[in-house]
Amino acid sequence: MNEEELLQALSQPLGKRQIQELAAKTNSGKLSVQQLLAFCSSKQDRSVAFRAAWVLECVAYSFPKQFLPYLPVFTDTLPAQHNQSCQRHFSKILMCCANPEDNPLYKAAWRALPNREPVVETMFEWLINPRTPVAVKVNCLDVLVYLQPEFPWVKDELLAQIEFLMKDGSPAMLSRGKRILKRFFPGKGR
């Protein structure tokens, strides 16, 4: 699939089935993850970037062997992602990659990344930004929980952020916050 064909496909409203079909094209070699990453950075058409990120998320979950070679590029471009619709999909991809209990392929690839600190910093930036949608924030919480054993300073800052966000939090924030507090911060849950 060339760039023009991909742009045409991503320019149309797509349903879950069409997203899955596009993702499957990465597995057959008809679409490259590199192309998707490039479209995720599009500032010209935010809808195209959103759909590319959705396809990328589907690739990451369904075809990890296709996504893994691009994990370093993905994490390197993460701080520059300001499209909040893309941030939701990117944070879900990070939940998959950083979860130590998830796919063993991701576990090994994640540990092989040379520098994961920018991921931590980006997750905190998205978390504390008042304009970040709740869906992105709750995903950031999970990613940070997964990274706290590697970055001990994260624990105290994460706890403070959870408590702050739960003060006037939405039902989604309250639910995720309580779950994380109960599981990872015994004695702090409400």
Side-chain angles (χ1 to χ4, degrees):
M1 180 171 247
N2 66 37
E3 192 172 313
E4 192 173 306
E5 291 170 326
L6 180 57
L7 177 60
Q8 185 175 6
L10 295 174
S11 295
Q12 310 294 322
L14 300 172
K16 185 176 181 178
R17 193 179 90 229
Q18 289 116 337
I19 294 293
Q20 291 170 332
E21 288 170 359
L22 279 171
K25 289 184 181 205
T26 64
N27 199 40
S28 65
K30 295 178 182 172
L31 174 62
S32 79
V33 172
Q34 185 174 2
Q35 286 177 301
L36 290 170
L37 281 166
F39 277 103
C40 289
S41 301
S42 174
K43 291 177 176 56
Q44 296 166 345
D45 190 336
R46 297 175 73 73
S47 296
V48 167
F50 156 72
R51 291 183 194 108
W54 189 8
V55 174
L56 189 65
E57 177 194 341
C58 191
V59 171
Y61 275 85
S62 301
F63 307 105
K65 288 182 180 178
Q66 303 308 320
F67 180 77
L68 282 172
Y70 298 94
L71 182 60
V73 174
F74 173 78
T75 57
D76 286 347
T77 62
L78 190 67
Q81 184 53 261
H82 299 291
N83 181 331
Q84 293 171 340
S85 296
C86 292
Q87 287 176 353
R88 182 174 187 175
H89 295 291
F90 278 36
S91 60
K92 286 180 76 177
I93 292 169
L94 288 169
M95 287 171 55
C96 176
C97 296
N99 184 348
E101 298 169 8
D102 212 356
N103 188 322
L105 291 172
Y106 279 119
K107 189 175 184 177
W110 186 257
R111 287 189 178 148
L113 285 173
N115 186 8
R116 292 176 293 281
E117 193 148 342
V119 174
V120 175
E121 293 166 358
T122 301
M123 292 297 96
F124 271 118
E125 286 175 19
W126 293 357
L127 184 63
I128 63 175
N129 183 340
R131 295 181 346 169
T132 301
V134 172
V136 175
K137 288 184 182 220
V138 295
N139 293 345
C140 290
L141 291 176
D142 278 347
V143 173
L144 290 166
V145 163
Y146 298 143
L147 297 177
Q148 70 166 337
E150 183 179 353
F151 301 95
W153 62 269
V154 167
K155 186 174 185 173
D156 291 336
E157 185 61 32
L158 180 59
L159 178 58
Q161 287 300 319
I162 291 171
E163 290 174 339
F164 175 77
L165 291 168
M166 288 179 63
K167 284 182 184 172
D168 297 315
S170 68
M173 182 58 71
L174 293 172
S175 174
R176 188 75 59 98
K178 286 178 184 179
R179 180 180 59 98
I180 290 172
L181 289 174
K182 182 178 179 182
R183 184 168 177 201
F184 297 99
F185 299 95
K188 295 287 184 180
R190 296 180 185 191

